[in-house]
Amino acid sequence: MPAVLSVRVSTEDFDPGAELAALEALPSGAVASFTGLVRNDGGLEALHLDHYPGMTQRQIEEIVAQAAARWPLLGVTVIHRHGTMKVGDRIVFVGTVSSHRVAALEACAFLIDWLKVSAPFWKQELRRDGSRGWVEAQGADDARAEKWR
Amino acid sequence: MASLRILYFAWVRERIGQDEEVVERPAAGATIASLLDTLGAADEAHAAAFAERSRLRAALDQRFVPLDTEIGEASELAIFPPVTGG
């Protein structure tokens, strides 16, 4: 595991600037991050994210452990929200710290790719016309995650 | 008899109409798939939720496993669609 690890699963919003500042305070040379937002797909008003409370935190920590086994990471922050989020709201944050940019950037991409396919969250779309529907998993996401094998 | 807690998520939960239920743990050798067959034969809601096996995923004691996994001594099973987080 990285020396400094923070994994938070919560309904609360977060401040990416504050998260980055905390990661930049570690003695390192490179910080990379990804912030995922609710995309303004046609007719979408909000997303509701369901999750498996007993499993989510540990599953994310296992994905981080895999990243830490591959790249020399000094710090990792993963924040994943559940509950209801409007278009433009933040859903997920991944921040990685390493001595060099390649490790930080690659580990960040690995983490978000694997979160998408192996963290137990499910998105439901709430549309402006009042209808709702569960988002279908994308084969392209599986393919992206598999590329890291 | 030992019991097995089953949790449902996303549209599986909606089709079944409940978040979770407790059933008697099936006999040794039973798999998740064979339990779904048994539950699906009992009522229409379960049958509808479990009809398309290729769209179902499972976790046994909070670990992802294939549907042909034996339930063994597990105490918690979860059935859900492929995940869509991130």
Side-chain angles (χ1 to χ4, degrees):
Chain A
M1 278 296 189
V4 179
L5 169 65
S6 178
V7 173
R8 279 126 70 194
V9 178
S10 160
T11 58
E12 297 294 309
D13 191 17
F14 52 87
D15 176 355
E19 301 302 333
L20 285 170
L23 294 174
E24 287 171 7
L26 300 173
S28 72
V31 175
S33 74
F34 173 83
T35 304
L37 311 171
V38 179
R39 190 168 38 241
N40 187 14
D41 283 338
L44 187 74
E45 181 161 294
L47 275 183
H48 182 81
L49 268 88
D50 196 2
H51 79 126
Y52 185 171
M55 185 174 170
T56 312
Q57 179 93 15
R58 195 188 58 217
Q59 186 67 22
I60 294 173
E61 287 173 5
E62 287 188 8
I63 298 167
V64 173
Q66 290 174 36
R70 291 181 65 155
W71 292 280
L73 297 174
L74 300 160
V76 172
T77 297
V78 176
I79 303 170
H80 205 308
R81 295 177 67 195
H82 61 98
T84 303
M85 283 150 263
K86 299 190 302 292
V87 167
D89 283 355
R90 289 176 281 265
I91 306 172
V92 61
F93 177 89
V94 175
T96 53
V97 183
S98 190
S99 296
H100 299 284
R101 74 180 187 286
V102 173
L105 286 166
E106 289 186 354
C108 185
F110 172 93
L111 285 167
I112 190 64
D113 284 347
W114 276 96
L115 280 172
K116 281 193 99 68
V117 299
S118 71
F121 290 90
W122 297 273
K123 288 192 183 106
Q124 187 180 41
E125 293 182 343
L126 312 177
R127 305 185 194 98
R128 280 196 287 277
D129 65 7
S131 66
R132 48 180 64 201
W134 293 96
V135 173
E136 292 284 332
Q138 300 293 317
D141 289 335
D142 288 320
R144 270 205 69 83
E146 286 300 323
K147 274 181 18 184
W148 293 104
R149 283 203 190 277
Chain B
M1 286 294 286
S3 60
L4 176 68
R5 182 182 183 211
I6 313 179
L7 307 180
Y8 301 114
F9 294 101
W11 56 257
V12 178
R13 182 189 65 221
E14 292 179 343
R15 288 188 192 179
I16 289 178
Q18 53 189 348
D19 294 353
E20 62 174 272
E21 61 186 316
V22 176
V23 302
E24 206 169 89
R25 190 193 285 150
T31 64
I32 296 166
S34 67
L35 176 63
L36 298 187
D37 290 339
T38 305
L39 293 170
D43 71 89
E44 285 183 14
H46 285 80
F50 301 154
E52 298 169 83
R53 292 296 163 88
S54 65
R55 297 180 66 206
L56 295 181
R57 299 291 182 272
L60 204 53
D61 284 341
Q62 306 185 353
R63 302 269 169 193
F64 291 117
V65 293
L67 295 182
D68 61 2
T69 304
E70 287 192 13
I71 292 166
E73 301 292 302
S75 57
E76 183 173 302
L77 170 67
I79 304 293
F80 42 79
V83 302
T84 54

